[in-house]
Amino acid sequence: MTTTTPPTRTGTRRRRWGASLALLGVGLVAACGLQPATAYTPESAPGLIEEIPDLPEGASITVTGKNFTEQLILGKMVVIALQAAGFTVTDLTNVPGSVPVRELMLSGEADVTIEYTGTAWLTYLGQEEGIPDQQEQWEAVRDADAENGLTWLPPAPLNNTYAFAVRAEAVEELGGISTLSDITELPVEDRTFCVEAEFNSRADGLGPMLETYGIPRGASDGVPDDNIRIFDTGAVYTATDRGTCNFGEVFTTDGRIDSLDLVVLEDDLGYFPAYNGAAVVSTETLETYPQLEEILTMLSDELTDERMRELNLRVDEGGEMPADVAFDFMLELGLVTEP
């Protein structure tokens, strides 16, 4: 098993990242006359997540995360949890892109993030194929990243991977379909797919998936090319809901699955790689504050696909702030309390 070599931890790298992030914050303030969105976090008090006893006064920790809805919510959950535990938290969530977040973790500029096992395995560690088994994928990433000074805590049930969904009212019309294998039993004219351009052409996309399930792509007795429609990401969900196709490519934690009443089909042959979310902590930081494992595991244990879809939808369609959605979720579970 090969791993990438972590960047050199130099003062120059630290200064460059610190300056870049500081300028980003200044730019946001100057442009809007307001604080950056990431600066806002509701005040909270300990609940099931208790304040760490004998924590040194002013103990600080830095949290980072990416800038799409799910990551903004998850990042704020971690910020809230660690504040309730007594830390002074520096909030570096809302970073544009996966690679910059990875660099912050490797360089020591950040201590904690929520990352996806499949992303780390394929993008950061350079492996060619993902591992569908969720536990095996997490163990492989955990072992590989230990060499990079990062510790992967136990994964959440949340698995933000690819899937195919069908509109609920068509399930019975299609013979009570529930798995991808069931597609093989359908007439050719019912094997219609809506997908993104990238998924349509990528090496681990639609073609290999159909091959795995024994459905020849392009063949008159499989999935003819005319049965495949290409859309932008958001339009795939709408087209599937409208019946433009029977099967739409989705992400398993996307809130539109619920709002459009789509039914996710089981990947019963385990084609799609696992993308479980898990807390990743600087090993050095974890050795200093071993209580972090219990705190972050307590949070991740509550994160499922279904709950994440609800939370994402509140931001994407409800217009709520990720920090408020994160706080409400943790308050409801008793992980934190109101001050």
Side-chain angles (χ1 to χ4, degrees):
M1 177 170 56
T2 59
T3 62
T4 55
T5 303
T8 304
R9 299 172 182 255
T10 63
T12 300
R13 177 180 294 276
R14 284 180 175 273
R15 288 192 295 273
R16 185 176 72 241
W17 272 106
S20 298
L21 289 164
L23 287 172
L24 176 62
V26 169
L28 287 168
V29 174
C32 304
L34 300 171
Q35 290 182 315
T38 51
Y40 167 67
T41 302
E43 293 186 10
S44 62
L48 293 175
I49 295 175
E50 300 176 347
E51 190 167 348
I52 297 174
D54 301 322
L55 189 67
E57 184 176 352
S60 63
I61 199 163
T62 300
V63 178
T64 189
K66 306 167 197 177
N67 65 341
F68 59 89
T69 297
E70 182 167 297
Q71 278 277 297
L72 293 173
I73 296 170
L74 294 173
K76 285 299 184 181
M77 287 183 184
V78 175
V79 171
I80 292 166
L82 298 185
Q83 286 179 342
F87 287 99
T88 299
V89 181
T90 299
D91 185 349
L92 293 185
T93 58
N94 198 25
V95 173
S98 296
V99 173
V101 168
R102 176 71 169 185
E103 292 286 345
L104 284 169
M105 291 296 296
L106 290 175
S107 67
E109 288 286 337
D111 301 289
V112 185
T113 191
I114 301 290
E115 189 53 89
Y116 303 98
T117 54
T119 301
W121 187 246
L122 297 168
T123 302
Y124 306 148
L125 297 169
Q127 302 299 318
E128 294 184 358
E129 294 185 4
I131 303 172
D133 183 274
Q134 296 181 31
Q135 183 67 20
E136 289 181 12
Q137 179 66 95
W138 173 73
E139 290 176 356
V141 170
R142 175 200 62 189
D143 294 346
D145 245 358
E147 301 178 13
N148 296 323
L150 300 177
T151 297
W152 283 71
L153 300 182
L158 178 160
N159 180 26
N160 188 1
T161 190
Y162 288 107
F164 275 88
V166 59
R167 64 195 186 283
E169 59 269 26
V171 170
E172 293 307 316
E173 297 172 12
L174 298 171
I177 191 167
S178 62
T179 70
L180 290 178
S181 288
D182 290 340
I183 296 175
T184 64
E185 305 298 323
L186 296 176
V188 171
E189 59 267 25
D190 287 339
R191 299 174 186 166
T192 54
F193 293 83
C194 292
V195 297
E196 299 172 284
E198 180 185 355
F199 186 80
N200 180 57
S201 60
R202 59 188 289 163
D204 58 350
L206 180 62
M209 187 212 78
L210 293 173
E211 181 180 349
T212 297
Y213 280 90
I215 309 172
R217 177 173 182 169
S220 59
D221 61 344
V223 176
D225 290 337
D226 289 345
N227 284 25
I228 302 170
R229 302 284 300 275
I230 309 299
F231 293 92
D232 291 335
T233 302
V236 168
Y237 291 81
T238 305
T240 305
D241 177 56
R242 291 175 177 172
T244 304
C245 58
N246 283 326
F247 308 107
E249 167 211 348
V250 299
F251 294 98
T252 50
T253 60
D254 195 304
R256 287 169 291 190
I257 291 173
D258 293 336
S259 67
L260 296 174
D261 198 20
L262 303 179
V263 176
V264 176
L265 299 179
E266 179 188 352
D267 177 21
D268 51 311
L269 296 185
Y271 172 74
F272 293 114
Y275 281 84
N276 290 86
V280 182
V281 187
S282 159
T283 303
E284 182 179 351
T285 301
L286 187 59
E287 289 172 350
T288 304
Y289 306 112
Q291 302 92 336
L292 287 171
E293 180 167 2
E294 181 180 358
I295 294 168
L296 295 171
T297 300
M298 194 182 305
L299 172 61
S300 64
D301 282 348
E302 300 293 341
L303 299 172
T304 64
D305 290 353
E306 293 76 18
R307 279 179 165 165
M308 203 68 238
R309 286 201 293 265
E310 294 173 4
L311 301 179
N312 287 334
L313 193 63
R314 286 176 59 180
V315 175
D316 289 334
E317 293 193 7
E320 297 182 59
M321 294 189 69
D324 288 332
V325 171
F327 178 70
D328 287 349
F329 174 77
M330 298 177 72
L331 193 63
E332 178 184 346
L333 294 172
L335 296 175
V336 298
T337 59
E338 295 193 56

PDB file of all heavy atoms in Angstrom, residues 173-206:
ATOM      1  N   GLU A 173     -44.800   0.452 -10.120  1.00  0.00           N
ATOM      2  CA  GLU A 173     -44.895   0.332 -11.570  1.00  0.00           C
ATOM      3  C   GLU A 173     -43.742  -0.488 -12.134  1.00  0.00           C
ATOM      4  O   GLU A 173     -43.891  -1.166 -13.167  1.00  0.00           O
ATOM      5  CB  GLU A 173     -44.895   1.724 -12.218  1.00  0.00           C
ATOM      6  CG  GLU A 173     -46.071   2.609 -11.846  1.00  0.00           C
ATOM      7  CD  GLU A 173     -45.891   4.025 -12.365  1.00  0.00           C
ATOM      8  OE1 GLU A 173     -44.980   4.245 -13.195  1.00  0.00           O
ATOM      9  OE2 GLU A 173     -46.645   4.911 -11.939  1.00  0.00           O
ATOM     10  N   LEU A 174     -42.614  -0.426 -11.450  1.00  0.00           N
ATOM     11  CA  LEU A 174     -41.419  -1.153 -11.883  1.00  0.00           C
ATOM     12  C   LEU A 174     -41.248  -2.462 -11.123  1.00  0.00           C
ATOM     13  O   LEU A 174     -40.137  -2.944 -10.931  1.00  0.00           O
ATOM     14  CB  LEU A 174     -40.185  -0.264 -11.715  1.00  0.00           C
ATOM     15  CG  LEU A 174     -40.186   1.031 -12.557  1.00  0.00           C
ATOM     16  CD1 LEU A 174     -39.025   1.932 -12.151  1.00  0.00           C
ATOM     17  CD2 LEU A 174     -40.104   0.694 -14.045  1.00  0.00           C
ATOM     18  N   GLY A 175     -42.346  -3.010 -10.667  1.00  0.00           N
ATOM     19  CA  GLY A 175     -42.317  -4.335 -10.045  1.00  0.00           C
ATOM     20  C   GLY A 175     -41.835  -4.351  -8.614  1.00  0.00           C
ATOM     21  O   GLY A 175     -41.313  -5.368  -8.157  1.00  0.00           O
ATOM     22  N   GLY A 176     -41.982  -3.218  -7.905  1.00  0.00           N
ATOM     23  CA  GLY A 176     -41.515  -3.165  -6.520  1.00  0.00           C
ATOM     24  C   GLY A 176     -40.009  -3.121  -6.411  1.00  0.00           C
ATOM     25  O   GLY A 176     -39.421  -3.663  -5.472  1.00  0.00           O
ATOM     26  N   ILE A 177     -39.373  -2.453  -7.335  1.00  0.00           N
ATOM     27  CA  ILE A 177     -37.911  -2.413  -7.408  1.00  0.00           C
ATOM     28  C   ILE A 177     -37.313  -1.844  -6.120  1.00  0.00           C
ATOM     29  O   ILE A 177     -37.820  -0.874  -5.548  1.00  0.00           O
ATOM     30  CB  ILE A 177     -37.465  -1.583  -8.629  1.00  0.00           C
ATOM     31  CG1 ILE A 177     -35.963  -1.745  -8.875  1.00  0.00           C
ATOM     32  CG2 ILE A 177     -37.857  -0.121  -8.489  1.00  0.00           C
ATOM     33  CD1 ILE A 177     -35.520  -1.222 -10.231  1.00  0.00           C
ATOM     34  N   SER A 178     -36.220  -2.468  -5.645  1.00  0.00           N
ATOM     35  CA  SER A 178     -35.564  -1.997  -4.424  1.00  0.00           C
ATOM     36  C   SER A 178     -34.040  -2.063  -4.505  1.00  0.00           C
ATOM     37  O   SER A 178     -33.361  -1.458  -3.689  1.00  0.00           O
ATOM     38  CB  SER A 178     -36.039  -2.799  -3.212  1.00  0.00           C
ATOM     39  OG  SER A 178     -35.690  -4.166  -3.352  1.00  0.00           O
ATOM     40  N   THR A 179     -33.497  -2.803  -5.465  1.00  0.00           N
ATOM     41  CA  THR A 179     -32.043  -2.953  -5.587  1.00  0.00           C
ATOM     42  C   THR A 179     -31.606  -2.673  -7.017  1.00  0.00           C
ATOM     43  O   THR A 179     -32.412  -2.723  -7.963  1.00  0.00           O
ATOM     44  CB  THR A 179     -31.587  -4.373  -5.209  1.00  0.00           C
ATOM     45  OG1 THR A 179     -32.021  -5.301  -6.220  1.00  0.00           O
ATOM     46  CG2 THR A 179     -32.159  -4.799  -3.857  1.00  0.00           C
ATOM     47  N   LEU A 180     -30.342  -2.404  -7.187  1.00  0.00           N
ATOM     48  CA  LEU A 180     -29.810  -2.211  -8.534  1.00  0.00           C
ATOM     49  C   LEU A 180     -29.889  -3.495  -9.355  1.00  0.00           C
ATOM     50  O   LEU A 180     -30.083  -3.452 -10.577  1.00  0.00           O
ATOM     51  CB  LEU A 180     -28.366  -1.710  -8.460  1.00  0.00           C
ATOM     52  CG  LEU A 180     -28.172  -0.281  -7.943  1.00  0.00           C
ATOM     53  CD1 LEU A 180     -26.686   0.068  -7.867  1.00  0.00           C
ATOM     54  CD2 LEU A 180     -28.910   0.731  -8.810  1.00  0.00           C
ATOM     55  N   SER A 181     -29.766  -4.636  -8.689  1.00  0.00           N
ATOM     56  CA  SER A 181     -29.879  -5.913  -9.411  1.00  0.00           C
ATOM     57  C   SER A 181     -31.262  -6.083 -10.031  1.00  0.00           C
ATOM     58  O   SER A 181     -31.412  -6.753 -11.067  1.00  0.00           O
ATOM     59  CB  SER A 181     -29.586  -7.087  -8.468  1.00  0.00           C
ATOM     60  OG  SER A 181     -28.222  -7.154  -8.139  1.00  0.00           O
ATOM     61  N   ASP A 182     -32.283  -5.471  -9.426  1.00  0.00           N
ATOM     62  CA  ASP A 182     -33.641  -5.596  -9.949  1.00  0.00           C
ATOM     63  C   ASP A 182     -33.785  -4.979 -11.334  1.00  0.00           C
ATOM     64  O   ASP A 182     -34.708  -5.321 -12.084  1.00  0.00           O
ATOM     65  CB  ASP A 182     -34.645  -4.933  -8.999  1.00  0.00           C
ATOM     66  CG  ASP A 182     -34.826  -5.698  -7.702  1.00  0.00           C
ATOM     67  OD1 ASP A 182     -34.493  -6.901  -7.667  1.00  0.00           O
ATOM     68  OD2 ASP A 182     -35.287  -5.090  -6.709  1.00  0.00           O
ATOM     69  N   ILE A 183     -32.881  -4.063 -11.681  1.00  0.00           N
ATOM     70  CA  ILE A 183     -32.961  -3.427 -13.003  1.00  0.00           C
ATOM     71  C   ILE A 183     -32.805  -4.464 -14.111  1.00  0.00           C
ATOM     72  O   ILE A 183     -33.373  -4.323 -15.199  1.00  0.00           O
ATOM     73  CB  ILE A 183     -31.894  -2.319 -13.130  1.00  0.00           C
ATOM     74  CG1 ILE A 183     -32.171  -1.200 -12.112  1.00  0.00           C
ATOM     75  CG2 ILE A 183     -31.849  -1.740 -14.541  1.00  0.00           C
ATOM     76  CD1 ILE A 183     -31.100  -0.117 -12.067  1.00  0.00           C
ATOM     77  N   THR A 184     -32.059  -5.521 -13.842  1.00  0.00           N
ATOM     78  CA  THR A 184     -31.845  -6.555 -14.860  1.00  0.00           C
ATOM     79  C   THR A 184     -33.140  -7.263 -15.241  1.00  0.00           C
ATOM     80  O   THR A 184     -33.233  -7.861 -16.315  1.00  0.00           O
ATOM     81  CB  THR A 184     -30.826  -7.605 -14.371  1.00  0.00           C
ATOM     82  OG1 THR A 184     -31.356  -8.287 -13.223  1.00  0.00           O
ATOM     83  CG2 THR A 184     -29.508  -6.951 -13.984  1.00  0.00           C
ATOM     84  N   GLU A 185     -34.141  -7.200 -14.378  1.00  0.00           N
ATOM     85  CA  GLU A 185     -35.415  -7.875 -14.636  1.00  0.00           C
ATOM     86  C   GLU A 185     -36.390  -6.995 -15.423  1.00  0.00           C
ATOM     87  O   GLU A 185     -37.458  -7.460 -15.816  1.00  0.00           O
ATOM     88  CB  GLU A 185     -36.075  -8.288 -13.312  1.00  0.00           C
ATOM     89  CG  GLU A 185     -35.187  -9.138 -12.407  1.00  0.00           C
ATOM     90  CD  GLU A 185     -34.818 -10.462 -13.066  1.00  0.00           C
ATOM     91  OE1 GLU A 185     -35.673 -11.031 -13.775  1.00  0.00           O
ATOM     92  OE2 GLU A 185     -33.669 -10.916 -12.862  1.00  0.00           O
ATOM     93  N   LEU A 186     -36.024  -5.749 -15.650  1.00  0.00           N
ATOM     94  CA  LEU A 186     -36.936  -4.817 -16.320  1.00  0.00           C
ATOM     95  C   LEU A 186     -36.816  -4.906 -17.835  1.00  0.00           C
ATOM     96  O   LEU A 186     -35.743  -5.238 -18.366  1.00  0.00           O
ATOM     97  CB  LEU A 186     -36.625  -3.385 -15.887  1.00  0.00           C
ATOM     98  CG  LEU A 186     -36.824  -3.032 -14.416  1.00  0.00           C
ATOM     99  CD1 LEU A 186     -36.374  -1.591 -14.174  1.00  0.00           C
ATOM    100  CD2 LEU A 186     -38.276  -3.219 -14.001  1.00  0.00           C
ATOM    101  N   PRO A 187     -37.873  -4.571 -18.548  1.00  0.00           N
ATOM    102  CA  PRO A 187     -37.778  -4.445 -20.005  1.00  0.00           C
ATOM    103  C   PRO A 187     -36.790  -3.348 -20.377  1.00  0.00           C
ATOM    104  O   PRO A 187     -36.596  -2.391 -19.617  1.00  0.00           O
ATOM    105  CB  PRO A 187     -39.201  -4.066 -20.426  1.00  0.00           C
ATOM    106  CG  PRO A 187     -40.075  -4.410 -19.278  1.00  0.00           C
ATOM    107  CD  PRO A 187     -39.236  -4.296 -18.045  1.00  0.00           C
ATOM    108  N   VAL A 188     -36.168  -3.462 -21.526  1.00  0.00           N
ATOM    109  CA  VAL A 188     -35.158  -2.498 -21.944  1.00  0.00           C
ATOM    110  C   VAL A 188     -35.706  -1.078 -21.924  1.00  0.00           C
ATOM    111  O   VAL A 188     -35.012  -0.133 -21.503  1.00  0.00           O
ATOM    112  CB  VAL A 188     -34.628  -2.848 -23.353  1.00  0.00           C
ATOM    113  CG1 VAL A 188     -33.746  -1.723 -23.890  1.00  0.00           C
ATOM    114  CG2 VAL A 188     -33.842  -4.152 -23.307  1.00  0.00           C
ATOM    115  N   GLU A 189     -36.960  -0.894 -22.341  1.00  0.00           N
ATOM    116  CA  GLU A 189     -37.508   0.463 -22.414  1.00  0.00           C
ATOM    117  C   GLU A 189     -37.651   1.120 -21.050  1.00  0.00           C
ATOM    118  O   GLU A 189     -37.759   2.346 -20.951  1.00  0.00           O
ATOM    119  CB  GLU A 189     -38.865   0.457 -23.120  1.00  0.00           C
ATOM    120  CG  GLU A 189     -39.928  -0.403 -22.469  1.00  0.00           C
ATOM    121  CD  GLU A 189     -39.976  -1.821 -23.038  1.00  0.00           C
ATOM    122  OE1 GLU A 189     -38.940  -2.281 -23.568  1.00  0.00           O
ATOM    123  OE2 GLU A 189     -41.046  -2.450 -22.947  1.00  0.00           O
ATOM    124  N   ASP A 190     -37.615   0.332 -19.967  1.00  0.00           N
ATOM    125  CA  ASP A 190     -37.699   0.902 -18.615  1.00  0.00           C
ATOM    126  C   ASP A 190     -36.331   1.169 -18.002  1.00  0.00           C
ATOM    127  O   ASP A 190     -36.245   1.782 -16.932  1.00  0.00           O
ATOM    128  CB  ASP A 190     -38.472  -0.041 -17.687  1.00  0.00           C
ATOM    129  CG  ASP A 190     -39.963  -0.037 -17.976  1.00  0.00           C
ATOM    130  OD1 ASP A 190     -40.452   0.938 -18.571  1.00  0.00           O
ATOM    131  OD2 ASP A 190     -40.643  -1.021 -17.620  1.00  0.00           O
ATOM    132  N   ARG A 191     -35.281   0.756 -18.650  1.00  0.00           N
ATOM    133  CA  ARG A 191     -33.920   0.974 -18.129  1.00  0.00           C
ATOM    134  C   ARG A 191     -33.397   2.325 -18.601  1.00  0.00           C
ATOM    135  O   ARG A 191     -32.482   2.426 -19.421  1.00  0.00           O
ATOM    136  CB  ARG A 191     -32.984  -0.131 -18.592  1.00  0.00           C
ATOM    137  CG  ARG A 191     -33.370  -1.537 -18.124  1.00  0.00           C
ATOM    138  CD  ARG A 191     -32.452  -2.563 -18.763  1.00  0.00           C
ATOM    139  NE  ARG A 191     -32.869  -3.925 -18.459  1.00  0.00           N
ATOM    140  CZ  ARG A 191     -32.415  -5.006 -19.097  1.00  0.00           C
ATOM    141  NH1 ARG A 191     -31.519  -4.867 -20.080  1.00  0.00           N
ATOM    142  NH2 ARG A 191     -32.851  -6.199 -18.773  1.00  0.00           N
ATOM    143  N   THR A 192     -33.966   3.391 -18.069  1.00  0.00           N
ATOM    144  CA  THR A 192     -33.601   4.749 -18.468  1.00  0.00           C
ATOM    145  C   THR A 192     -32.882   5.450 -17.317  1.00  0.00           C
ATOM    146  O   THR A 192     -33.284   5.334 -16.158  1.00  0.00           O
ATOM    147  CB  THR A 192     -34.842   5.545 -18.880  1.00  0.00           C
ATOM    148  OG1 THR A 192     -35.820   5.496 -17.818  1.00  0.00           O
ATOM    149  CG2 THR A 192     -35.463   4.958 -20.144  1.00  0.00           C
ATOM    150  N   PHE A 193     -31.828   6.191 -17.660  1.00  0.00           N
ATOM    151  CA  PHE A 193     -30.951   6.773 -16.642  1.00  0.00           C
ATOM    152  C   PHE A 193     -30.721   8.256 -16.905  1.00  0.00           C
ATOM    153  O   PHE A 193     -30.515   8.686 -18.045  1.00  0.00           O
ATOM    154  CB  PHE A 193     -29.592   6.063 -16.643  1.00  0.00           C
ATOM    155  CG  PHE A 193     -29.644   4.638 -16.192  1.00  0.00           C
ATOM    156  CD1 PHE A 193     -29.991   3.627 -17.089  1.00  0.00           C
ATOM    157  CD2 PHE A 193     -29.364   4.289 -14.874  1.00  0.00           C
ATOM    158  CE1 PHE A 193     -30.050   2.297 -16.677  1.00  0.00           C
ATOM    159  CE2 PHE A 193     -29.421   2.973 -14.456  1.00  0.00           C
ATOM    160  CZ  PHE A 193     -29.766   1.977 -15.357  1.00  0.00           C
ATOM    161  N   CYS A 194     -30.717   9.041 -15.809  1.00  0.00           N
ATOM    162  CA  CYS A 194     -30.307  10.444 -15.833  1.00  0.00           C
ATOM    163  C   CYS A 194     -29.031  10.564 -14.999  1.00  0.00           C
ATOM    164  O   CYS A 194     -29.027  10.180 -13.820  1.00  0.00           O
ATOM    165  CB  CYS A 194     -31.384  11.339 -15.236  1.00  0.00           C
ATOM    166  SG  CYS A 194     -32.900  11.447 -16.212  1.00  0.00           S
ATOM    167  N   VAL A 195     -27.968  11.084 -15.597  1.00  0.00           N
ATOM    168  CA  VAL A 195     -26.683  11.166 -14.904  1.00  0.00           C
ATOM    169  C   VAL A 195     -25.972  12.464 -15.256  1.00  0.00           C
ATOM    170  O   VAL A 195     -26.299  13.131 -16.239  1.00  0.00           O
ATOM    171  CB  VAL A 195     -25.764   9.972 -15.265  1.00  0.00           C
ATOM    172  CG1 VAL A 195     -26.376   8.655 -14.821  1.00  0.00           C
ATOM    173  CG2 VAL A 195     -25.481   9.931 -16.760  1.00  0.00           C
ATOM    174  N   GLU A 196     -24.980  12.826 -14.447  1.00  0.00           N
ATOM    175  CA  GLU A 196     -24.091  13.938 -14.762  1.00  0.00           C
ATOM    176  C   GLU A 196     -23.118  13.523 -15.867  1.00  0.00           C
ATOM    177  O   GLU A 196     -22.825  12.340 -16.043  1.00  0.00           O
ATOM    178  CB  GLU A 196     -23.254  14.314 -13.546  1.00  0.00           C
ATOM    179  CG  GLU A 196     -24.008  14.764 -12.323  1.00  0.00           C
ATOM    180  CD  GLU A 196     -23.037  14.895 -11.160  1.00  0.00           C
ATOM    181  OE1 GLU A 196     -22.630  13.872 -10.603  1.00  0.00           O
ATOM    182  OE2 GLU A 196     -22.691  16.038 -10.830  1.00  0.00           O
ATOM    183  N   ALA A 197     -22.578  14.523 -16.556  1.00  0.00           N
ATOM    184  CA  ALA A 197     -21.608  14.231 -17.619  1.00  0.00           C
ATOM    185  C   ALA A 197     -20.376  13.519 -17.063  1.00  0.00           C
ATOM    186  O   ALA A 197     -19.868  12.568 -17.678  1.00  0.00           O
ATOM    187  CB  ALA A 197     -21.197  15.529 -18.313  1.00  0.00           C
ATOM    188  N   GLU A 198     -19.898  13.953 -15.893  1.00  0.00           N
ATOM    189  CA  GLU A 198     -18.707  13.329 -15.321  1.00  0.00           C
ATOM    190  C   GLU A 198     -18.960  11.862 -14.985  1.00  0.00           C
ATOM    191  O   GLU A 198     -18.164  10.988 -15.317  1.00  0.00           O
ATOM    192  CB  GLU A 198     -18.260  14.076 -14.068  1.00  0.00           C
ATOM    193  CG  GLU A 198     -17.009  13.458 -13.420  1.00  0.00           C
ATOM    194  CD  GLU A 198     -16.627  14.130 -12.107  1.00  0.00           C
ATOM    195  OE1 GLU A 198     -17.257  15.129 -11.738  1.00  0.00           O
ATOM    196  OE2 GLU A 198     -15.698  13.620 -11.458  1.00  0.00           O
ATOM    197  N   PHE A 199     -20.081  11.593 -14.308  1.00  0.00           N
ATOM    198  CA  PHE A 199     -20.379  10.219 -13.924  1.00  0.00           C
ATOM    199  C   PHE A 199     -20.604   9.348 -15.146  1.00  0.00           C
ATOM    200  O   PHE A 199     -20.280   8.158 -15.153  1.00  0.00           O
ATOM    201  CB  PHE A 199     -21.611  10.171 -13.023  1.00  0.00           C
ATOM    202  CG  PHE A 199     -21.906   8.806 -12.470  1.00  0.00           C
ATOM    203  CD1 PHE A 199     -21.207   8.327 -11.373  1.00  0.00           C
ATOM    204  CD2 PHE A 199     -22.864   7.988 -13.056  1.00  0.00           C
ATOM    205  CE1 PHE A 199     -21.457   7.061 -10.863  1.00  0.00           C
ATOM    206  CE2 PHE A 199     -23.124   6.723 -12.556  1.00  0.00           C
ATOM    207  CZ  PHE A 199     -22.422   6.258 -11.451  1.00  0.00           C
ATOM    208  N   ASN A 200     -21.111   9.928 -16.209  1.00  0.00           N
ATOM    209  CA  ASN A 200     -21.360   9.179 -17.433  1.00  0.00           C
ATOM    210  C   ASN A 200     -20.078   8.638 -18.046  1.00  0.00           C
ATOM    211  O   ASN A 200     -20.070   7.555 -18.645  1.00  0.00           O
ATOM    212  CB  ASN A 200     -22.071  10.077 -18.450  1.00  0.00           C
ATOM    213  CG  ASN A 200     -22.373   9.362 -19.744  1.00  0.00           C
ATOM    214  OD1 ASN A 200     -23.032   8.330 -19.772  1.00  0.00           O
ATOM    215  ND2 ASN A 200     -21.881   9.908 -20.846  1.00  0.00           N
ATOM    216  N   SER A 201     -18.972   9.387 -17.878  1.00  0.00           N
ATOM    217  CA  SER A 201     -17.738   9.031 -18.587  1.00  0.00           C
ATOM    218  C   SER A 201     -16.607   8.533 -17.702  1.00  0.00           C
ATOM    219  O   SER A 201     -15.638   7.972 -18.205  1.00  0.00           O
ATOM    220  CB  SER A 201     -17.233  10.243 -19.380  1.00  0.00           C
ATOM    221  OG  SER A 201     -16.970  11.336 -18.501  1.00  0.00           O
ATOM    222  N   ARG A 202     -16.701   8.711 -16.390  1.00  0.00           N
ATOM    223  CA  ARG A 202     -15.572   8.385 -15.537  1.00  0.00           C
ATOM    224  C   ARG A 202     -15.354   6.876 -15.425  1.00  0.00           C
ATOM    225  O   ARG A 202     -16.284   6.078 -15.629  1.00  0.00           O
ATOM    226  CB  ARG A 202     -15.721   9.011 -14.148  1.00  0.00           C
ATOM    227  CG  ARG A 202     -16.941   8.596 -13.381  1.00  0.00           C
ATOM    228  CD  ARG A 202     -17.102   9.420 -12.110  1.00  0.00           C
ATOM    229  NE  ARG A 202     -16.087   9.077 -11.117  1.00  0.00           N
ATOM    230  CZ  ARG A 202     -15.780   9.826 -10.072  1.00  0.00           C
ATOM    231  NH1 ARG A 202     -16.383  10.986  -9.890  1.00  0.00           N
ATOM    232  NH2 ARG A 202     -14.877   9.431  -9.207  1.00  0.00           N
ATOM    233  N   ALA A 203     -14.119   6.510 -15.062  1.00  0.00           N
ATOM    234  CA  ALA A 203     -13.725   5.098 -15.024  1.00  0.00           C
ATOM    235  C   ALA A 203     -14.458   4.307 -13.962  1.00  0.00           C
ATOM    236  O   ALA A 203     -14.523   3.078 -14.033  1.00  0.00           O
ATOM    237  CB  ALA A 203     -12.211   4.985 -14.809  1.00  0.00           C
ATOM    238  N   ASP A 204     -14.994   4.990 -12.944  1.00  0.00           N
ATOM    239  CA  ASP A 204     -15.764   4.295 -11.915  1.00  0.00           C
ATOM    240  C   ASP A 204     -17.221   4.763 -11.941  1.00  0.00           C
ATOM    241  O   ASP A 204     -17.898   4.791 -10.928  1.00  0.00           O
ATOM    242  CB  ASP A 204     -15.171   4.508 -10.522  1.00  0.00           C
ATOM    243  CG  ASP A 204     -15.085   5.984 -10.139  1.00  0.00           C
ATOM    244  OD1 ASP A 204     -15.311   6.845 -11.019  1.00  0.00           O
ATOM    245  OD2 ASP A 204     -14.802   6.281  -8.975  1.00  0.00           O
ATOM    246  N   GLY A 205     -17.697   5.118 -13.137  1.00  0.00           N
ATOM    247  CA  GLY A 205     -19.024   5.681 -13.290  1.00  0.00           C
ATOM    248  C   GLY A 205     -20.057   4.708 -13.833  1.00  0.00           C
ATOM    249  O   GLY A 205     -20.078   3.518 -13.477  1.00  0.00           O
ATOM    250  N   LEU A 206     -20.898   5.212 -14.734  1.00  0.00           N
ATOM    251  CA  LEU A 206     -22.071   4.469 -15.179  1.00  0.00           C
ATOM    252  C   LEU A 206     -21.733   3.186 -15.922  1.00  0.00           C
ATOM    253  O   LEU A 206     -22.303   2.130 -15.644  1.00  0.00           O
ATOM    254  CB  LEU A 206     -22.946   5.370 -16.061  1.00  0.00           C
ATOM    255  CG  LEU A 206     -24.218   4.728 -16.610  1.00  0.00           C
ATOM    256  CD1 LEU A 206     -25.152   4.300 -15.485  1.00  0.00           C
ATOM    257  CD2 LEU A 206     -24.924   5.672 -17.581  1.00  0.00           C
TER     258      LEU A 206
END
